Amino acid sequence: MPVDVTFDDTFSGLLRYYYRKKHVKQRILTLPLSLDFGNIKTANIVRTRASFLEELSRNTHGYSVKEEIQKIRDNLSFLEVLIESGTSFRIWWTNKAADYCGFIWLCDRLKTVENEVEQIKVPTLFPRENQTLLEINEGLSGLSCDLIDEFKLFERQQKLSASIRRDYSYMWQELQEENQPIRVLINDHLLSQPVTFYDKFIYQQTSKTDFTELDRLLGKIVLHYGVGILEGWYWYRIEKLIDEEKLEAKQSKIPMKQLIRLRK
């Protein structure tokens, strides 16, 4: 059996549960790299992820960047061991930016190896037998064990040849060269964007007259626009916009209760 590789922590847990239900022993490698955000210029992926997560989580309580980076470091080391041992891989991904970036990064890493590699690209829109459509906005994290079977996802498995991996690796190299802070999919094309790309969603949920509590503001943004986007990114950008005097804030002893509005 090939080792399953996923870039989604939630889906990794679901997949483990799925295999337990089926009484199947299976190895799963989780690489939650969030490569759709932050610096990707250097080859040291651990260093760039550490820098990004530290910046993103400076206001987040109960979250250990050190533990998260250690998990990434351990899993990347395990990946190298698996490659050296000739292990075959099965990569799960979607057209969500984090998955897509992770996929082409891994294709770049696997472009010259002899390991067998397969992929399961999961669509986010499924036609059902009752002639309705089911949209999985959250990507892989929106799946369930029943949906894995209902949509026969394992039948979507395809071989990923060395030449195809090499073609995908060119996309990763282009993104590295551009090295913009954000990467998004627009009309199925993976594009680099400036750091301000998602700021419009923050502005659309704030006003010049009324203050909104930060936790409520974040909730509104995520509800309307945030599927597949790190909530911490919006908090990070709100803090930056306050520093740039584009947003006005009334501080509170509880950070999530500070009041935010557009600066007049």
Side-chain angles (χ1 to χ4, degrees):
M1 287 279 286
V3 170
D4 285 305
V5 183
T6 175
F7 309 99
D8 187 303
D9 258 330
T10 302
F11 180 68
S12 177
L14 170 71
L15 208 51
R16 286 188 172 88
Y17 177 66
Y18 176 86
Y19 285 128
R20 284 199 300 270
K21 285 183 63 178
K22 301 288 184 180
H23 305 290
V24 174
K25 290 185 177 181
Q26 174 64 1
R27 288 184 295 182
I28 300 171
L29 179 62
T30 311
L31 299 171
L33 301 174
S34 301
L35 292 171
D36 49 334
F37 289 97
N39 174 34
I40 57 171
K41 185 69 173 179
T42 67
N44 191 326
I45 200 74
V46 174
R47 184 178 301 164
T48 61
R49 294 302 86 197
S51 176
F52 168 67
L53 291 175
E54 285 169 2
E55 184 72 13
L56 201 66
S57 63
R58 61 178 182 167
N59 295 317
T60 305
H61 301 286
Y63 175 82
S64 172
V65 173
K66 185 177 180 180
E67 290 179 6
E68 187 67 20
I69 290 301
Q70 188 59 52
K71 180 173 68 175
I72 290 174
R73 182 180 287 110
D74 291 344
N75 288 351
L76 288 173
S77 296
F78 186 40
L79 171 65
E80 296 304 317
V81 170
L82 293 173
I83 292 172
E84 288 296 322
S85 65
T87 300
S88 59
F89 299 98
R90 177 170 55 210
I91 309 170
W92 294 76
W93 64 294
T94 69
N95 63 354
K96 298 297 180 183
D99 276 344
Y100 208 129
C101 289
F103 174 73
I104 62 175
W105 166 81
L106 187 53
C107 283
D108 185 64
R109 175 61 189 88
L110 299 175
K111 64 186 176 186
T112 60
V113 303
E114 297 182 358
N115 307 62
E116 291 188 3
V117 184
E118 296 170 312
Q119 65 170 328
I120 296 180
K121 185 179 181 183
V122 179
T124 54
L125 194 63
F126 293 95
R128 310 191 83 165
E129 291 183 357
N130 62 2
Q131 298 184 347
T132 62
L133 287 174
L134 176 64
E135 186 170 8
I136 311 294
N137 290 319
E138 304 90 339
L140 291 173
S141 61
L143 290 173
S144 66
C145 293
D146 290 341
L147 291 178
I148 290 175
D149 288 332
E150 178 181 349
F151 298 123
K152 301 176 182 178
L153 295 185
F154 284 96
E155 294 183 10
R156 294 178 175 271
Q157 183 170 312
Q158 294 179 322
K159 184 177 180 179
L160 203 59
S161 67
S163 62
I164 293 176
R165 299 198 299 269
R166 192 159 47 247
D167 288 343
Y168 275 119
S169 77
Y170 296 145
M171 297 174 60
W172 174 250
Q173 292 165 29
E174 289 175 4
L175 288 179
Q176 274 193 306
E177 187 63 30
E178 294 167 355
N179 196 34
Q180 290 282 349
I182 295 174
R183 287 154 287 280
V184 300
L185 263 105
I186 300 176
N187 296 327
D188 287 331
H189 293 284
L190 195 56
L191 302 174
S192 299
Q193 298 294 329
V195 71
T196 57
F197 181 76
Y198 291 117
D199 290 359
K200 56 183 176 288
F201 299 145
I202 298 172
Y203 294 139
Q204 287 169 8
Q205 294 301 318
T206 51
S207 76
K208 291 183 177 180
T209 55
D210 299 321
F211 282 96
T212 304
E213 288 185 353
L214 177 59
D215 56 354
R216 186 165 180 268
L217 174 58
L218 289 171
K220 288 166 60 180
I221 295 169
V222 171
L223 176 65
H224 288 93
Y225 317 109
V227 175
I229 304 170
L230 297 172
E231 180 177 327
W233 177 262
Y234 288 119
W235 192 350
Y236 165 75
R237 286 302 301 161
I238 287 170
E239 292 294 325
K240 290 293 185 183
L241 294 174
I242 292 171
D243 292 342
E244 295 169 8
E245 298 186 346
K246 295 177 181 177
L247 294 177
E248 181 180 354
K250 287 185 177 180
Q251 299 300 325
S252 168
K253 293 181 180 179
I254 303 174
M256 290 295 285
K257 294 299 180 182
Q258 65 177 312
L259 299 173
I260 309 293
R261 74 177 179 185
L262 288 172
R263 184 168 289 278
K264 295 180 179 179

